[in-house]
Amino acid sequence: MEMKGWMSRFKAVFVLSLLALVLTGCGEPFISTLQPKGEGSQMLFDLMILSIVIMLFVFVVVMIIYMYVVVKFRERKVGKDFMPKQVEGNHALETLWTVIPIILLLILAVPTVQYTFALADVTPEVDEEGAEQDAIWIDVTGKLFWWHFEYRDMDISTSQELYIPTDRKVYLSMTSDDVIHSFWVPSIAGKMDVNPTGNTNEMFLDASEEGVFHGKCTEFCGPSHSLMDFKVVAVSPGEFEQWAQDMQGVTGEEEPESATAQEGQQLFADNCMSCHAIGSNPNKIGPNLTNFGDRTKIAGVIDYNKENLVEWIKTKGKDMKPGNLMVDAPYDLSDEEISSIADYLMSLSPSDITPENAKDGVYQDSDLSSLFPEESEEDSEEGSEEGSESEEGSEESSDSEEGSEEDSDSEEGSEEESSDEENSDEE
């Protein structure tokens, strides 16, 4: 009976262990740290591999010693009363098993410290000629339970979907409007806490290839913490440049094509604009909806279609995303009015660059210089000022040269007059 009970327990443990091992392979590839698609995620992946190699080395060494002892000192070979030689106080062994762990820790610690400083480095990149590149800075704000993004000096505001160019660092300055959140895009970067009370943390994103990468909040922040998802849409530099230029042209006054969407635009302005914004208007209580028509999810997690959007507006997301602030919105709309607003929101597609471009395999190169016109204008103004200064200097030098020539002429005239006077005196 005891044997059967032991076997049943062993089978249960074996099945649970096998199930746990299989389940560790479940999940989506776009949210995996084991498929790095950026510089930051590659550093973290390298550290994981290094630590696994060190642990496997220790495990193999320990198992070899263990099997050696089990085989060499088994009872059938050495007898029942055999007592192995005691090595307590052996300085060589104690030094060995003290030094080896220190060496292994140093092997892991050195690259860890190097990568920690590298991941925190937000100094601008330099080009092949050693000049600093124009830096793309994005102000990230964590809210209950969504993310807001403002592209600094570009007059672009978005929410939930962050567009970035590939093969170029994008710098993030992050804060929170309410509680502590944590920003994490596992495929291209590590985690960074997003804190309230004016505390700002900085990091960078650097996507090595195009794609739609899913991000998560990894700091428990309320009822819908697990639903606080967002997307990073990495497109080629040329496509990002076009997207940015299209977004800069949005004012919120563009008239949609269909009559129902036009009606929805007016209803949206009357009932929703106190919380939401379209275009580069300052961030408000709710998400910016400038390019809502290009999104792949509603509220970050719900399938994008009109039926779900209508349900979200009607219920104010109460059950779809518990704890969100929209449940306190004061509007009272009929089903027809809600349908018109949904048509309007789904028509908000100011750019031809959408998440689909991140998957089409088309690469458009660009130096993104058109996105930084102010600096180039300042440089040209400085150059013109330097040119005018040089022209004034040349004019002053020419005037001084003319003055010196006139002085030399007057000196020659005075010498001629003095010589004539001397000649007349001699005569």
Side-chain angles (χ1 to χ4, degrees):
M1 293 293 294
E2 292 182 2
M3 186 65 177
K4 289 183 178 179
W6 182 85
M7 287 297 296
S8 62
R9 287 194 296 270
F10 174 79
K11 289 179 180 179
V13 171
F14 175 77
V15 170
L16 289 175
S17 301
L18 183 61
L19 183 62
L21 182 63
V22 172
L23 291 177
T24 56
C26 296
E28 301 291 347
F30 48 71
I31 200 167
S32 172
T33 58
L34 302 180
Q35 299 183 27
K37 304 296 183 182
E39 181 180 348
S41 58
Q42 186 63 55
M43 292 182 188
L44 300 176
F45 180 77
D46 293 342
L47 285 178
M48 285 192 292
I49 295 300
L50 177 60
S51 61
I52 290 173
V53 169
I54 292 174
M55 289 187 290
L56 285 176
F57 170 76
V58 173
F59 176 78
V60 169
V61 170
V62 170
M63 291 306 298
I64 289 175
I65 295 174
Y66 172 77
M67 294 305 299
Y68 170 78
V69 172
V70 168
V71 173
K72 182 176 178 62
F73 298 103
R74 63 189 186 276
E75 183 177 339
R76 286 186 301 170
K77 183 175 181 180
V78 298
K80 186 175 182 180
D81 299 327
F82 174 78
M83 178 62 68
K85 180 182 177 180
Q86 300 302 298
V87 293
E88 182 180 356
N90 188 306
H91 294 296
L93 288 177
E94 291 182 356
T95 301
L96 184 65
W97 62 55
T98 301
V99 171
I100 290 179
I102 292 176
I103 293 174
L104 295 177
L105 287 175
L106 287 175
I107 292 174
L108 182 60
V110 170
T112 299
V113 172
Q114 289 177 334
Y115 287 167
T116 299
F117 281 96
L119 291 170
D121 184 9
V122 291
T123 55
E125 292 183 292
V126 296
D127 56 23
E128 297 177 354
E129 298 177 355
E132 286 189 358
Q133 290 184 339
D134 295 313
I136 299 175
W137 275 94
I138 302 174
D139 296 322
V140 179
T141 306
K143 295 174 177 283
L144 296 172
F145 299 93
W146 54 281
W147 297 89
H148 181 71
F149 311 109
E150 291 189 7
Y151 292 71
R152 195 179 297 177
D153 301 325
M154 290 189 188
D155 293 327
I156 298 175
S157 295
T158 65
S159 298
Q160 293 299 91
E161 293 191 356
L162 176 63
Y163 283 72
I164 64 172
T166 59
D167 305 317
R168 181 166 178 145
K169 284 186 178 180
V170 174
Y171 303 95
L172 308 181
S173 176
M174 300 182 291
T175 187
S176 170
D177 265 1
D178 33 61
V179 300
I180 298 176
H181 302 285
S182 187
F183 185 93
W184 186 36
V185 192
S187 297
I188 56 178
K191 301 177 184 178
M192 180 66 73
D193 279 353
V194 182
N195 303 316
T197 65
N199 179 272
T200 300
N201 288 332
E202 297 177 342
M203 64 179 293
F204 69 86
L205 300 179
D206 187 3
S208 58
E209 62 181 64
E210 293 181 288
V212 178
F213 306 105
H214 290 224
K216 303 283 289 186
C217 174
T218 57
E219 185 75 31
F220 181 72
C221 54
S224 288
H225 157 69
S226 62
L227 303 178
M228 193 172 169
D229 292 16
F230 64 99
K231 312 288 188 303
V232 174
V233 183
V235 294
S236 64
E239 291 171 320
F240 174 79
E241 186 174 35
Q242 179 184 339
W243 176 84
Q245 291 171 346
D246 293 337
M247 291 290 289
Q248 288 172 340
V250 178
T251 63
E253 299 178 358
E254 295 80 7
E255 186 175 280
E257 295 181 358
S258 69
T260 54
Q262 292 173 12
E263 180 184 352
Q265 182 180 27
Q266 185 59 49
L267 289 167
F268 181 86
D270 295 339
N271 296 275
C272 310
M273 286 296 283
S274 59
C275 294
H276 295 280
I278 294 176
S280 58
N281 295 323
N283 183 29
K284 298 184 179 181
I285 300 173
N288 184 288
L289 304 176
T290 302
N291 59 340
F292 185 87
D294 297 331
R295 291 189 186 177
T296 56
K297 293 287 185 178
I298 299 173
V301 291
I302 304 166
D303 289 339
Y304 185 90
N305 55 58
K306 185 176 178 180
E307 181 181 353
N308 286 339
L309 181 56
V310 167
E311 182 67 18
W312 173 273
I313 299 173
K314 181 183 295 186
T315 64
K316 303 178 182 179
K318 182 178 180 180
D319 297 324
M320 305 171 85
K321 205 169 190 178
N324 82 88
L325 301 182
M326 190 171 174
V327 295
D328 298 325
Y331 65 79
D332 184 15
L333 300 168
S334 65
D335 291 346
E336 184 178 353
E337 290 173 329
I338 291 175
S339 178
S340 297
I341 292 177
D343 286 338
Y344 168 64
L345 292 176
M346 298 184 75
S347 73
L348 295 176
S349 180
S351 178
D352 292 333
I353 305 302
T354 67
E356 294 300 322
N357 293 90
K359 307 172 184 178
D360 60 7
V362 177
Y363 188 92
Q364 299 179 19
D365 198 9
S366 173
D367 61 0
L368 306 181
S369 58
S370 67
L371 301 180
F372 305 95
E374 294 182 0
E375 296 185 8
S376 59
E377 289 175 3
E378 291 175 359
D379 293 340
S380 62
E381 290 176 1
E382 291 177 0
S384 62
E385 291 176 359
E386 292 176 359
S388 61
E389 290 175 0
S390 63
E391 289 176 2
E392 292 175 1
S394 62
E395 290 176 359
E396 291 176 359
S397 62
S398 62
D399 292 339
S400 63
E401 289 177 0
E402 290 177 2
S404 62
E405 290 177 0
E406 291 175 358
D407 293 339
S408 62
D409 292 339
S410 63
E411 289 176 1
E412 291 177 1
S414 61
E415 290 176 358
E416 290 176 358
E417 290 176 358
S418 62
S419 61
D420 292 338
E421 290 175 358
E422 291 175 359
N423 293 335
S424 62
D425 291 340
E426 289 176 359
E427 291 176 352

